[in-house]
Every structure is written in C-alpha cells, then in structure tokens.
Amino acid sequence: MMNQAEQLKSIGLKATGPRLKILNLFESSTQGHLSAEDVYRKLLAEHIDVGLATVYRVLTQFEQAGILMRHHFESGRAVYELNHGHHHDHLVCLDCGRVVEFFEPELETLQDRIAERHGFAIEDHALYLYAKCQKVNCEHRNLETEP
C-alpha cells in the first residue's frame, strides 16, 4: 500500500507539508464531510500554520485529482469527503447539518427504470435527501446548540 507522499506523487502532485497535513486530516477524521473552513480550523487547533487560501487551493487540487469529492448541501457551502471509489447518497439533517451516507440498491434500480421510461440512461447522479431528525433527544442537535 502506498504512503501519502507516494499517493500524491502518483497523481502528479508534490508531497508538500500542507498537502500531506490536509490529506491526513481527511483520512483520520471521523466527521467525513468537511468544509474548507472546517479544515482550516482543525489545522489551527493542531498549531499547523497553513493559510485559508492554501486550504482552498489544496482542496481544489485534490478534487481535480479525484482524491476528494465536493458536495453542496443546503448550508450553501461546499463540503468535501474522501473519494473511496464507491457511489453513495446522502441524508442531511435540516436541524443540525449531520450527514448520513447510504446506498440502497432498490433506489438505484428505480432511478434507472424511471430514466429509461423517459428515454434516458443515467451516467451519474447525486441524491441529497433533506430531512429532520425524528429523535426527541438527538445527540447531534444538542451538540450544535451548546455554546
């Protein structure tokens, strides 16, 4: 298995400090979907001196290289996630912004049938379902409202 520096070199990017740090952040994050501002704040919290403009530049490079995928959820800002090479859809909570990834084969089949019925063949798609958590005491909502 390639290390991070080799992975970057294999796609034509130099293994600079900021690139390695940002790649490591995505690989070690439990959050999954991070905005440029999230990345910047996490780097600052680790006392890593990288400017916000550098973060945006690296995220764009990683997206163009296929390392990251960019999404635009209802928040109005782009978020990024590692591209693991498999398709999935997203449920987005309208209360706290939590994102749940899912893959449902029956839904994929239904989308293909609908497209075929209308004379289309799906090449690619992104499905975002915006919902409100039904848990009375949602632990994610509580985290978002604490000071």
Side-chain angles (χ1 to χ4, degrees):
M1 181 165 187
M2 281 192 275
N3 67 31
Q4 290 175 329
E6 292 169 338
Q7 181 183 2
L8 290 176
K9 288 178 185 175
S10 74
I11 57 171
L13 293 174
K14 285 185 180 178
T16 63
R19 286 184 183 137
L20 290 170
K21 288 176 174 111
I22 292 171
L23 182 57
N24 183 58
L25 186 81
F26 274 94
E27 290 177 341
S28 63
S29 175
T30 58
Q31 195 171 337
H33 299 84
L34 300 169
S35 69
E37 293 80 10
D38 295 332
V39 171
Y40 180 66
R41 279 193 299 274
K42 287 179 181 287
L43 293 173
L44 285 179
E46 294 179 18
H47 306 290
I48 298 170
D49 187 27
V50 175
L52 185 56
T54 299
V55 170
Y56 275 105
R57 186 171 46 255
V58 170
L59 293 176
T60 299
Q61 291 167 341
F62 284 0
E63 180 191 5
Q64 290 171 345
I67 295 172
L68 296 178
M69 293 180 356
R70 179 173 40 166
H71 301 283
H72 293 278
F73 299 135
E74 276 299 295
S75 66
R77 63 183 178 149
V79 293
Y80 299 83
E81 69 174 318
L82 280 175
N83 181 358
H84 293 291
H86 61 274
H87 170 74
H88 59 268
D89 296 310
H90 298 88
L91 270 165
V92 182
C93 181
L94 291 169
D95 289 329
C96 71
R98 182 171 66 107
V99 177
V100 175
E101 298 176 354
F102 70 94
F103 177 77
E104 182 56 56
E106 292 176 39
L107 185 56
E108 300 299 317
T109 301
L110 180 58
Q111 290 172 131
D112 288 336
R113 283 199 334 249
I114 292 168
E116 186 178 319
R117 184 175 3 168
H118 293 282
F120 290 92
I122 296 175
E123 296 289 322
D124 191 18
H125 81 276
L127 177 64
Y128 307 122
L129 299 174
Y130 298 99
K132 289 191 176 216
C133 178
Q134 298 299 298
K135 293 180 187 175
V136 175
N137 294 317
C138 174
E139 64 275 12
H140 301 285
R141 187 180 315 119
N142 293 337
L143 288 175
E144 291 295 316
T145 58
E146 292 177 1

Coordinates of all heavy atoms in Angstrom, one line a residue, residues 57-125:
R57 N -6.9 26.1 -2.1 CA -6.1 25.6 -3.3 C -5.9 24.1 -3.2 O -6.1 23.4 -4.2 CB -4.8 26.4 -3.3 CG -4.0 26.1 -4.6 CD -2.8 27.0 -4.7 NE -2.0 27.2 -3.5 CZ -2.0 28.3 -2.7 NH1 -2.8 29.3 -3.0 NH2 -1.2 28.4 -1.6
V58 N -5.5 23.6 -2.1 CA -5.2 22.2 -1.9 C -6.5 21.3 -2.1 O -6.5 20.3 -2.8 CB -4.6 21.8 -0.6 CG1 -4.5 20.3 -0.3 CG2 -3.2 22.5 -0.5
L59 N -7.6 21.8 -1.5 CA -8.9 21.1 -1.7 C -9.3 21.0 -3.2 O -9.8 20.0 -3.7 CB -10.0 21.8 -0.9 CG -9.8 21.7 0.6 CD1 -11.0 22.4 1.3 CD2 -9.8 20.2 1.1
T60 N -9.1 22.1 -3.9 CA -9.4 22.2 -5.3 C -8.5 21.2 -6.1 O -9.0 20.5 -7.0 CB -9.2 23.6 -5.9 OG1 -10.2 24.4 -5.2 CG2 -9.5 23.6 -7.4
Q61 N -7.2 21.2 -5.8 CA -6.3 20.3 -6.4 C -6.7 18.8 -6.1 O -6.6 18.0 -7.0 CB -4.9 20.5 -5.9 CG -4.3 21.8 -6.4 CD -3.0 22.2 -5.6 OE1 -2.7 21.7 -4.6 NE2 -2.2 23.1 -6.2
F62 N -7.0 18.5 -4.9 CA -7.4 17.2 -4.5 C -8.7 16.7 -5.2 O -8.9 15.6 -5.6 CB -7.6 17.0 -3.0 CG -6.3 16.9 -2.2 CD1 -5.1 17.0 -2.9 CD2 -6.3 16.8 -0.9 CE1 -3.9 16.9 -2.2 CE2 -5.1 16.7 -0.1 CZ -3.9 16.7 -0.8
E63 N -9.6 17.7 -5.4 CA -10.9 17.4 -6.1 C -10.6 17.1 -7.6 O -11.1 16.1 -8.1 CB -11.9 18.5 -6.0 CG -13.2 18.3 -6.7 CD -14.1 19.5 -6.9 OE1 -13.7 20.6 -6.5 OE2 -15.2 19.3 -7.4
Q64 N -9.8 17.9 -8.2 CA -9.4 17.7 -9.6 C -8.7 16.4 -9.8 O -8.8 15.8 -10.9 CB -8.6 18.9 -10.1 CG -9.4 20.2 -10.2 CD -8.5 21.4 -10.5 OE1 -7.3 21.4 -10.3 NE2 -9.2 22.5 -10.9
A65 N -7.9 16.0 -8.8 CA -7.1 14.8 -8.9 C -7.9 13.5 -8.6 O -7.5 12.4 -8.7 CB -5.9 14.8 -8.0
G66 N -9.2 13.8 -8.1 CA -10.0 12.6 -7.7 C -9.8 12.1 -6.3 O -10.4 11.1 -6.0
I67 N -9.1 12.8 -5.5 CA -8.9 12.3 -4.1 C -10.1 12.7 -3.3 O -10.5 11.9 -2.4 CB -7.6 13.0 -3.5 CG1 -6.3 12.5 -4.3 CG2 -7.5 12.7 -2.0 CD1 -5.1 13.2 -3.9
L68 N -10.6 13.8 -3.5 CA -11.8 14.3 -2.8 C -13.0 14.5 -3.7 O -12.8 14.7 -4.9 CB -11.5 15.6 -2.1 CG -10.4 15.7 -1.0 CD1 -10.3 17.1 -0.5 CD2 -10.8 14.8 0.1
M69 N -14.2 14.4 -3.1 CA -15.4 14.7 -3.9 C -16.0 15.9 -3.2 O -16.0 16.0 -1.9 CB -16.4 13.6 -3.8 CG -15.9 12.4 -4.6 SD -16.9 10.9 -4.7 CE -18.3 11.2 -3.7
R70 N -16.5 16.9 -3.9 CA -17.2 18.1 -3.4 C -18.7 17.9 -3.5 O -19.2 17.5 -4.5 CB -16.7 19.3 -4.2 CG -17.4 20.6 -3.6 CD -16.8 21.8 -4.3 NE -16.6 21.7 -5.7 CZ -16.4 22.7 -6.5 NH1 -16.4 23.9 -6.1 NH2 -16.2 22.5 -7.8
H71 N -19.4 18.4 -2.4 CA -20.8 18.4 -2.4 C -21.3 19.8 -1.9 O -20.6 20.5 -1.2 CB -21.4 17.4 -1.4 CG -20.9 16.0 -1.6 ND1 -21.5 15.2 -2.6 CD2 -20.0 15.2 -1.1 CE1 -20.9 14.0 -2.6 NE2 -20.0 14.0 -1.7
H72 N -22.5 20.1 -2.4 CA -23.1 21.4 -1.9 C -24.4 21.0 -1.3 O -25.4 20.8 -1.9 CB -23.4 22.3 -3.1 CG -22.1 22.8 -3.7 ND1 -21.4 23.9 -3.2 CD2 -21.4 22.4 -4.8 CE1 -20.4 24.1 -4.0 NE2 -20.3 23.2 -4.9
F73 N -24.4 20.9 0.0 CA -25.6 20.7 0.8 C -26.3 22.0 1.0 O -25.8 23.0 0.7 CB -25.3 19.9 2.1 CG -24.6 18.6 1.9 CD1 -23.5 18.2 2.7 CD2 -25.1 17.7 1.0 CE1 -22.9 17.0 2.5 CE2 -24.5 16.4 0.8 CZ -23.4 16.1 1.6
E74 N -27.5 22.0 1.7 CA -28.3 23.2 1.9 C -27.6 24.3 2.6 O -28.0 25.4 2.6 CB -29.5 22.8 2.8 CG -30.7 22.3 1.9 CD -31.2 23.2 0.9 OE1 -31.7 24.3 1.2 OE2 -31.1 22.9 -0.3
S75 N -26.5 24.0 3.3 CA -25.8 25.1 4.1 C -25.3 26.2 3.2 O -24.9 27.2 3.7 CB -24.6 24.5 4.9 OG -23.6 24.0 3.9
G76 N -25.2 25.9 1.9 CA -24.7 27.0 1.0 C -23.2 27.0 0.8 O -22.7 27.7 0.1
R77 N -22.5 26.1 1.5 CA -21.1 26.0 1.4 C -20.7 24.6 0.9 O -21.4 23.6 1.1 CB -20.4 26.3 2.7 CG -20.7 25.3 3.8 CD -20.1 25.7 5.1 NE -20.5 24.8 6.1 CZ -19.8 24.4 7.1 NH1 -18.6 24.9 7.3 NH2 -20.2 23.5 8.0
A78 N -19.6 24.6 0.2 CA -19.1 23.3 -0.3 C -18.5 22.5 0.9 O -17.8 23.0 1.7 CB -18.0 23.5 -1.4
V79 N -18.7 21.2 0.8 CA -18.0 20.3 1.8 C -17.4 19.2 0.9 O -17.8 18.9 -0.2 CB -19.0 19.6 2.8 CG1 -19.5 20.7 3.8 CG2 -20.1 18.9 2.1
Y80 N -16.3 18.6 1.5 CA -15.5 17.6 0.8 C -15.5 16.4 1.6 O -15.5 16.4 2.8 CB -14.1 18.2 0.6 CG -14.0 19.4 -0.2 CD1 -14.2 20.7 0.4 CD2 -13.7 19.4 -1.6 CE1 -14.2 21.8 -0.4 CE2 -13.7 20.5 -2.3 CZ -13.9 21.8 -1.7 OH -13.9 22.9 -2.5
E81 N -15.3 15.2 0.9 CA -15.1 14.0 1.5 C -14.1 13.2 0.6 O -14.0 13.4 -0.6 CB -16.4 13.2 1.7 CG -17.0 12.7 0.3 CD -18.3 11.8 0.5 OE1 -18.3 11.0 1.4 OE2 -19.2 12.0 -0.2
L82 N -13.5 12.2 1.3 CA -12.5 11.3 0.5 C -13.3 10.6 -0.5 O -14.4 10.1 -0.2 CB -11.8 10.4 1.5 CG -10.7 10.9 2.3 CD1 -10.2 9.9 3.2 CD2 -9.5 11.4 1.4
N83 N -12.7 10.4 -1.7 CA -13.3 9.6 -2.7 C -12.9 8.2 -2.6 O -11.7 7.8 -2.9 CB -12.9 10.2 -4.1 CG -13.5 9.4 -5.2 OD1 -14.3 8.4 -5.0 ND2 -13.2 9.8 -6.4
H84 N -13.8 7.3 -2.0 CA -13.4 5.9 -1.8 C -13.8 5.1 -3.0 O -13.6 3.8 -3.0 CB -14.1 5.4 -0.6 CG -13.7 6.0 0.7 ND1 -12.4 5.8 1.2 CD2 -14.3 6.9 1.6 CE1 -12.3 6.5 2.3 NE2 -13.4 7.2 2.6
G85 N -14.2 5.7 -4.1 CA -14.5 5.0 -5.3 C -15.8 4.2 -5.4 O -16.0 3.4 -6.3
H86 N -16.7 4.4 -4.4 CA -18.0 3.8 -4.5 C -19.1 4.8 -4.3 O -18.9 5.8 -3.6 CB -18.1 2.7 -3.4 CG -18.0 3.2 -2.0 ND1 -16.8 3.4 -1.4 CD2 -18.9 3.6 -1.1 CE1 -17.0 3.9 -0.2 NE2 -18.2 4.0 0.0
H87 N -20.2 4.6 -5.0 CA -21.3 5.5 -5.0 C -22.1 5.4 -3.7 O -22.3 4.3 -3.2 CB -22.2 5.2 -6.2 CG -23.5 6.0 -6.1 ND1 -23.6 7.3 -6.4 CD2 -24.7 5.6 -5.8 CE1 -24.8 7.8 -6.2 NE2 -25.5 6.7 -5.9
H88 N -22.5 6.5 -3.2 CA -23.5 6.5 -2.1 C -24.3 7.8 -2.2 O -23.9 8.8 -2.9 CB -22.8 6.4 -0.8 CG -21.8 7.5 -0.5 ND1 -20.4 7.4 -0.8 CD2 -21.9 8.7 0.1 CE1 -19.8 8.5 -0.5 NE2 -20.6 9.3 0.0
D89 N -25.4 7.8 -1.5 CA -26.2 9.0 -1.4 C -26.2 9.6 0.0 O -25.5 9.0 0.8 CB -27.7 8.6 -1.8 CG -27.8 8.2 -3.3 OD1 -27.3 8.9 -4.2 OD2 -28.3 7.1 -3.5
H90 N -26.9 10.7 0.2 CA -26.8 11.4 1.5 C -28.1 11.8 2.0 O -29.0 12.3 1.3 CB -25.9 12.7 1.3 CG -24.5 12.4 0.9 ND1 -24.2 12.3 -0.5 CD2 -23.4 12.2 1.6 CE1 -22.9 12.1 -0.5 NE2 -22.4 12.0 0.7
L91 N -28.3 11.7 3.4 CA -29.4 12.2 4.1 C -28.8 13.4 4.9 O -27.7 13.2 5.6 CB -29.9 11.2 5.1 CG -31.0 10.3 4.7 CD1 -31.2 9.1 5.6 CD2 -32.3 11.0 4.6
V92 N -29.4 14.6 4.8 CA -28.8 15.7 5.5 C -29.9 16.3 6.5 O -31.0 16.5 6.1 CB -28.5 16.9 4.5 CG1 -27.9 18.1 5.2 CG2 -27.5 16.3 3.4
C93 N -29.5 16.4 7.8 CA -30.4 16.9 8.8 C -30.6 18.4 8.7 O -29.6 19.1 8.6 CB -29.9 16.5 10.2 SG -31.1 17.1 11.5
L94 N -31.8 18.9 8.6 CA -32.1 20.3 8.5 C -31.9 21.0 9.8 O -31.8 22.3 9.8 CB -33.5 20.5 7.9 CG -33.7 20.1 6.5 CD1 -35.2 20.1 6.1 CD2 -32.9 21.0 5.5
D95 N -31.9 20.3 10.9 CA -31.7 20.9 12.2 C -30.2 21.1 12.6 O -29.8 22.2 12.9 CB -32.3 20.1 13.3 CG -33.9 20.1 13.2 OD1 -34.4 21.2 12.8 OD2 -34.5 19.1 13.6
C96 N -29.4 20.1 12.4 CA -28.0 20.2 12.9 C -27.0 20.0 11.8 O -25.8 20.2 12.0 CB -27.7 19.1 14.0 SG -27.7 17.4 13.3
G97 N -27.4 19.7 10.6 CA -26.5 19.6 9.5 C -25.8 18.2 9.4 O -25.0 18.0 8.5
R98 N -26.1 17.3 10.3 CA -25.5 16.0 10.2 C -25.7 15.3 8.9 O -26.8 15.4 8.4 CB -26.0 15.1 11.4 CG -25.3 13.7 11.4 CD -25.7 13.0 12.7 NE -27.1 12.7 12.8 CZ -27.6 11.5 12.6 NH1 -26.8 10.5 12.4 NH2 -28.9 11.3 12.7
V99 N -24.7 14.6 8.4 CA -24.9 13.9 7.1 C -24.7 12.4 7.3 O -23.8 12.0 7.9 CB -23.8 14.4 6.1 CG1 -23.9 13.7 4.8 CG2 -24.0 15.9 5.9
V100 N -25.7 11.7 6.8 CA -25.6 10.2 6.8 C -25.5 9.7 5.4 O -26.3 10.1 4.6 CB -26.9 9.6 7.5 CG1 -26.9 8.1 7.5 CG2 -27.0 10.1 8.9
E101 N -24.5 8.9 5.2 CA -24.3 8.3 3.9 C -25.1 7.0 3.8 O -25.1 6.2 4.8 CB -22.8 8.0 3.6 CG -22.0 9.3 3.6 CD -20.5 9.0 3.4 OE1 -20.1 7.8 3.4 OE2 -19.8 10.0 3.3
F102 N -25.6 6.7 2.6 CA -26.3 5.4 2.5 C -26.3 5.0 1.0 O -26.0 5.8 0.1 CB -27.8 5.5 2.9 CG -28.7 6.3 2.1 CD1 -29.4 5.7 1.0 CD2 -28.8 7.7 2.2 CE1 -30.2 6.5 0.2 CE2 -29.6 8.5 1.4 CZ -30.3 7.9 0.4
F103 N -26.4 3.7 0.8 CA -26.5 3.1 -0.5 C -27.7 2.1 -0.5 O -27.8 1.2 0.4 CB -25.2 2.3 -0.9 CG -25.4 1.7 -2.2 CD1 -25.3 2.4 -3.4 CD2 -25.6 0.3 -2.3 CE1 -25.4 1.8 -4.7 CE2 -25.8 -0.3 -3.6 CZ -25.7 0.5 -4.7
E104 N -28.6 2.3 -1.4 CA -29.8 1.5 -1.4 C -30.0 0.9 -2.8 O -30.4 1.7 -3.7 CB -31.0 2.3 -1.0 CG -32.3 1.5 -1.0 CD -32.3 0.3 -0.1 OE1 -31.9 0.5 1.1 OE2 -32.5 -0.8 -0.6
P105 N -29.7 -0.3 -3.1 CA -29.8 -0.9 -4.4 C -31.1 -0.8 -5.1 O -31.2 -0.5 -6.3 CB -29.4 -2.4 -4.2 CG -28.6 -2.4 -2.9 CD -29.2 -1.3 -2.1
E106 N -32.2 -0.9 -4.3 CA -33.6 -0.8 -4.8 C -33.8 0.6 -5.4 O -34.4 0.8 -6.4 CB -34.6 -1.1 -3.8 CG -34.6 -2.6 -3.4 CD -35.6 -2.9 -2.2 OE1 -36.7 -2.3 -2.3 OE2 -35.3 -3.7 -1.4
L107 N -33.3 1.6 -4.7 CA -33.4 3.0 -5.1 C -32.6 3.2 -6.4 O -33.1 3.9 -7.3 CB -32.9 4.0 -4.0 CG -33.1 5.5 -4.3 CD1 -34.6 5.8 -4.6 CD2 -32.6 6.2 -3.1
E108 N -31.5 2.7 -6.5 CA -30.7 2.8 -7.7 C -31.4 2.2 -8.9 O -31.4 2.7 -10.0 CB -29.3 2.1 -7.5 CG -28.5 2.7 -6.4 CD -28.1 4.2 -6.6 OE1 -27.8 4.6 -7.7 OE2 -28.2 4.9 -5.6
T109 N -32.0 1.0 -8.7 CA -32.7 0.3 -9.8 C -33.9 1.1 -10.2 O -34.2 1.3 -11.4 CB -33.2 -1.1 -9.3 OG1 -32.0 -1.9 -8.9 CG2 -34.0 -1.8 -10.3
L110 N -34.7 1.7 -9.2 CA -35.8 2.5 -9.5 C -35.4 3.7 -10.3 O -36.1 4.1 -11.3 CB -36.5 2.9 -8.2 CG -37.8 3.8 -8.4 CD1 -38.8 3.1 -9.2 CD2 -38.3 4.2 -7.0
Q111 N -34.3 4.4 -10.0 CA -33.9 5.6 -10.7 C -33.6 5.2 -12.2 O -33.9 5.9 -13.1 CB -32.6 6.2 -10.1 CG -32.9 6.8 -8.7 CD -31.6 7.2 -8.0 OE1 -31.6 8.4 -7.6 NE2 -30.7 6.3 -7.9
D112 N -32.9 4.0 -12.4 CA -32.6 3.6 -13.7 C -33.9 3.3 -14.5 O -34.0 3.7 -15.7 CB -31.8 2.3 -13.7 CG -30.3 2.6 -13.3 OD1 -29.9 3.7 -13.4 OD2 -29.7 1.6 -12.8
R113 N -34.9 2.7 -13.9 CA -36.2 2.4 -14.6 C -36.9 3.7 -14.9 O -37.5 3.9 -16.0 CB -37.1 1.6 -13.7 CG -36.7 0.1 -13.7 CD -37.8 -0.8 -13.2 NE -38.8 -0.3 -12.3 CZ -39.0 -0.7 -11.0 NH1 -38.1 -1.5 -10.5 NH2 -39.9 -0.1 -10.3
I114 N -36.9 4.7 -14.0 CA -37.5 6.0 -14.3 C -36.8 6.7 -15.5 O -37.5 7.2 -16.4 CB -37.5 6.9 -13.1 CG1 -38.4 6.3 -12.0 CG2 -37.9 8.3 -13.4 CD1 -38.3 7.0 -10.6
A115 N -35.5 6.7 -15.5 CA -34.7 7.3 -16.6 C -35.0 6.6 -17.9 O -35.3 7.3 -18.9 CB -33.2 7.3 -16.3
E116 N -35.0 5.3 -17.9 CA -35.3 4.5 -19.1 C -36.7 4.8 -19.6 O -36.9 5.0 -20.8 CB -35.2 3.0 -18.8 CG -35.3 2.1 -20.0 CD -35.1 0.7 -19.7 OE1 -34.2 0.4 -18.9 OE2 -35.8 -0.2 -20.2
R117 N -37.7 4.9 -18.7 CA -39.1 5.2 -19.1 C -39.2 6.5 -19.9 O -40.0 6.7 -20.7 CB -40.0 5.2 -17.9 CG -41.4 5.4 -18.2 CD -42.3 5.2 -17.0 NE -41.5 5.0 -15.8 CZ -41.9 5.1 -14.5 NH1 -43.1 5.4 -14.3 NH2 -41.1 4.9 -13.5
H118 N -38.3 7.5 -19.5 CA -38.3 8.8 -20.1 C -37.3 8.9 -21.2 O -37.0 10.0 -21.7 CB -38.1 9.9 -19.1 CG -39.2 10.0 -18.1 ND1 -40.4 10.6 -18.4 CD2 -39.4 9.5 -16.9 CE1 -41.2 10.5 -17.4 NE2 -40.7 9.8 -16.4
G119 N -36.7 7.8 -21.6 CA -35.7 7.8 -22.7 C -34.3 8.3 -22.3 O -33.6 8.8 -23.2
F120 N -33.9 8.0 -21.1 CA -32.6 8.4 -20.6 C -31.8 7.2 -20.1 O -32.4 6.2 -19.7 CB -32.7 9.4 -19.5 CG -33.1 10.8 -19.9 CD1 -34.5 11.1 -19.9 CD2 -32.2 11.8 -20.4 CE1 -34.9 12.4 -20.3 CE2 -32.7 13.0 -20.8 CZ -34.0 13.3 -20.7
A121 N -30.5 7.3 -20.1 CA -29.7 6.3 -19.4 C -28.8 7.2 -18.5 O -28.0 8.0 -18.9 CB -28.8 5.6 -20.4
I122 N -28.9 6.9 -17.2 CA -28.2 7.7 -16.2 C -26.7 7.4 -16.3 O -26.2 6.2 -16.4 CB -28.7 7.3 -14.8 CG1 -30.1 7.7 -14.6 CG2 -27.8 8.0 -13.7 CD1 -30.7 7.3 -13.3
E123 N -25.9 8.5 -16.4 CA -24.5 8.4 -16.4 C -23.9 8.6 -15.0 O -22.9 8.0 -14.7 CB -23.9 9.5 -17.4 CG -24.3 9.3 -18.8 CD -23.6 8.1 -19.5 OE1 -22.4 7.8 -19.2 OE2 -24.2 7.4 -20.3
D124 N -24.5 9.5 -14.3 CA -24.0 9.8 -12.9 C -25.2 10.5 -12.2 O -26.1 11.1 -12.9 CB -22.8 10.7 -13.0 CG -22.1 10.9 -11.6 OD1 -22.4 10.0 -10.7 OD2 -21.3 11.8 -11.5
H125 N -25.2 10.5 -10.9 CA -26.2 11.3 -10.2 C -25.7 11.5 -8.7 O -24.8 10.8 -8.3 CB -27.5 10.5 -10.2 CG -27.6 9.5 -9.2 ND1 -27.2 8.2 -9.4 CD2 -28.1 9.4 -7.9 CE1 -27.4 7.4 -8.3 NE2 -28.0 8.2 -7.4

